[in-house]
Amino acid sequence: AKAAGRSQICYYSVRMQEKLLSKMNLELALRDAITNDEFELYYQPQFDRLGNIQGVEALIRWFHPTQGLISPMQFIPLAEESKLIISIGDWVIRTACLQLKKWQTSSNLQHATISVNVSALQFSQDDFVTSVEAILREIDVPPKQLQIELTESMLVADKEIIAHKMGELKQLGIQFSLDDFGTGYSSLSYLQKLPFDQLKIDQSFVRGLSSHDEDSSLAFAIAAMGSSLGLEVIAEGVETQAQLDLLKQCGCDLFQGYFLGYPVPVSELENRFSQRDR
Ligand code: C2E
Ligand code: CA
Ligand code: CA
Ligand code: CA
C-alpha cells in the first residue's frame, strides 16, 4: 500500500510538472500571439424583441499555430495573470472599432453596436480612459456604437474610482453593460450609482428556463429590476424557443444565444445580414 501511495505521489507531481510546463509554454506563445496575428474576434448577434439585429458581442478566439483553437476560458485567466491582457484588451477594442468603421458605409450592420469584454486589470489601468479615447479618435467611429461589458465581480474595487472612470468614458459617448448579472454580490443602491446602460442576465438564470418549468420568477425579478433602474435588459445563453418566449414575457429587451446565432467570424456575420438585392 505504501509503495502504491508513493507511486501515486510521483504520478501527481509529474502531472503537475507537465501542467506547469504546458502553462508556461502557453504563456510564452501568448506573448507573441498579437504580433503573429493569431487572434480573431468572433461576433455573436443580439436581437431586439422584433427579431432585428441590434448589436453583436465580440468574443476573442486564439488560433494557436500547433494546438489550434484555444478557448478564452483557457487563456484569458493566463493573460490576466501575466498582465498580457492589457495589450490583448487594447487589441480587442482597436479591432472592434476598425470593424465598426468598416460597417459605417453601406452595410446592414451600420447601426449595430459592438460590445467588448474588458477585464478587471485592463479597466484598472490608469491610462485606460485615455487609451480608449485615443483609439476612438484615431479610427473615428461613433462612440455610441461601442459598448463596454464589465462583470459584476469587477465592481468590488474602489467604487469612487470605478464610477469616475465610467463617467469619463460615458462622456465620450461609450455605453456600458453589466455582464453576468446575478452572479455577484453588488447591491442595488450601488448599481444605481454607476452609469450602466444595460444589464445582462447571466446564462445560469436562462438555462433553468423551460416551458415545463413554472419557475421563471428569478429571471422575471431580474428583468423587472433592470427595467425599474432604467436599464436595457439583455438575456444571454438563449438556447431554445421556449426560453426566448419566456424571456420575452419577462420583459427583456434584447436576446443573445445559440438559438439565435453562434459567435461567428465577421465574414459569416456579414453574409447572414447582408443587404438583399432589391
Ligand atoms: P462571456 O462574456 O459571459 O461570454 C459569453 C460566453 O457564452 C461566450 O463564450 C459565448 O460563446 C457563450 N455563449 C453564447 N451563447 C451561448 C448559448 O446559447 N449557450 C451557451 N452555453 N453558451 C453561449 P466564449 O466565447 O467561450 O467566452 C468565454 C468567456 O471568455 C466570456 O464570457 C468572457 O468572460 C471571456 N472573453 C471572451 N472574449 C473576451 C475578450 O475579448 N476579452 C476578455 N477580457 N474576455 C473575453
Ligand atoms: Ca460578455
Ligand atoms: Ca456573460
Ligand atoms: Ca444599446
Side-chain angles (χ1 to χ4, degrees), residues 6-16:
R6 183 186 269 159
S7 73
Q8 220 164 32
I9 289 166
C10 286
Y11 172 72
Y12 281 121
S13 75
V14 167
R15 275 204 37 174
M16 272 165 65

Side-chain angles (χ1 to χ4, degrees), residues 93 128-129 132-133 136 142-148 166 168-176 195 197:
I93 293 178
F128 180 69
V129 175
V132 172
E133 195 174 4
L136 284 170
K144 282 224 150 17
Q145 282 175 260
L146 183 66
Q147 183 152 277
I148 289 179
M166 285 180 74
E168 286 186 311
L169 289 160
K170 289 245 19 143
Q171 274 186 338
L172 295 176
I174 291 172
Q175 307 207 58
F176 281 95
D197 302 282

Side-chain angles (χ1 to χ4, degrees), residues 57 117 149 151 179-181 200-203 236:
E57 178 175 3
N117 293 283
E149 293 196 1
T151 61
D179 200 2
D180 300 344
F181 184 74
K200 211 165 189 182
I201 302 181
D202 187 65
Q203 305 195 7
E236 68 175 336

Side-chain angles (χ1 to χ4, degrees), residues 105-126:
T105 47
S106 81
S107 155
N108 259 9
L109 298 163
Q110 198 170 16
H111 301 292
T113 55
I114 296 185
S115 296
V116 295
N117 293 283
V118 167
S119 88
L121 185 67
Q122 184 187 2
F123 190 74
S124 73
Q125 296 303 297
D126 286 337

Side-chain angles (χ1 to χ4, degrees), residues 4-274:
R6 183 186 269 159
S7 73
Q8 220 164 32
I9 289 166
C10 286
Y11 172 72
Y12 281 121
S13 75
V14 167
R15 275 204 37 174
M16 272 165 65
Q17 247 177 338
E18 279 173 355
K19 251 187 141 168
L20 189 67
L21 202 65
S22 78
K23 193 179 140 184
M24 281 165 61
N25 282 330
L26 212 58
E27 190 182 313
L28 272 177
L30 202 52
R31 258 169 225 292
D32 298 323
I34 293 184
T35 35
N36 292 346
D37 205 20
E38 289 164 10
F39 289 125
E40 187 176 339
L41 288 186
Y42 275 29
Y43 297 97
Q44 183 174 35
Q46 303 170 326
F47 297 91
D48 64 17
R49 296 178 64 90
L50 299 173
N52 297 315
I53 184 168
Q54 214 251 348
V56 295
E57 178 175 3
L59 294 156
I60 195 168
R61 298 292 178 258
W62 180 19
F63 294 92
H64 186 281
T66 54
Q67 294 183 44
L69 183 61
I70 299 176
S71 154
M73 307 270 249
Q74 217 182 325
F75 74 83
I76 293 289
L78 203 60
E80 279 173 355
E81 242 174 79
S82 58
K83 298 199 162 61
L84 289 167
I85 193 67
I86 297 165
S87 51
I88 294 173
D90 205 68
W91 178 89
V92 169
I93 293 178
R94 174 175 299 275
T95 305
C97 286
L98 286 169
Q99 198 55 66
L100 283 173
K101 183 78 179 176
K102 283 188 198 153
W103 288 341
Q104 289 309 298
T105 47
S106 81
S107 155
N108 259 9
L109 298 163
Q110 198 170 16
H111 301 292
T113 55
I114 296 185
S115 296
V116 295
N117 293 283
V118 167
S119 88
L121 185 67
Q122 184 187 2
F123 190 74
S124 73
Q125 296 303 297
D126 286 337
D127 63 353
F128 180 69
V129 175
T130 50
S131 71
V132 172
E133 195 174 4
I135 293 172
L136 284 170
R137 189 173 306 153
E138 177 200 324
I139 302 177
D140 187 30
V141 285
K144 282 224 150 17
Q145 282 175 260
L146 183 66
Q147 183 152 277
I148 289 179
E149 293 196 1
L150 302 178
T151 61
E152 208 182 354
S153 60
M154 289 171 54
L155 304 179
V156 293
D158 191 315
K159 291 163 195 178
E160 240 80 297
I161 295 176
I162 293 173
H164 182 71
K165 239 178 222 188
M166 285 180 74
E168 286 186 311
L169 289 160
K170 289 245 19 143
Q171 274 186 338
L172 295 176
I174 291 172
Q175 307 207 58
F176 281 95
S177 177
L178 180 54
D179 200 2
D180 300 344
F181 184 74
T183 61
Y185 301 94
S186 46
S187 71
L188 268 185
S189 62
Y190 177 38
L191 284 184
Q192 215 167 8
K193 292 191 184 103
L194 297 175
F196 280 103
D197 302 282
Q198 183 185 75
L199 181 158
K200 211 165 189 182
I201 302 181
D202 187 65
Q203 305 195 7
S204 57
F205 300 104
V206 174
R207 202 166 298 140
L209 294 179
S210 75
S211 47
H212 324 289
D213 174 23
E214 260 137 51
D215 198 66
S216 53
S217 54
L218 216 44
F220 192 88
I222 294 173
M225 196 187 75
S227 303
S228 71
L229 286 172
L231 302 177
E232 182 178 64
V233 177
I234 179 168
E236 68 175 336
V238 183
E239 293 184 348
T240 66
Q241 178 73 58
Q243 288 171 349
L244 180 62
D245 292 343
L246 282 166
L247 288 161
K248 276 189 182 166
Q249 284 171 35
C250 288
C252 293
D253 303 296
L254 298 173
F255 311 89
Q256 177 185 349
Y258 295 163
F259 179 67
L260 300 161
Y262 290 98
V264 289
V266 68
S267 58
E268 228 173 283
L269 186 85
E270 287 173 347
N271 279 340
R272 176 167 171 192
F273 297 100
S274 70

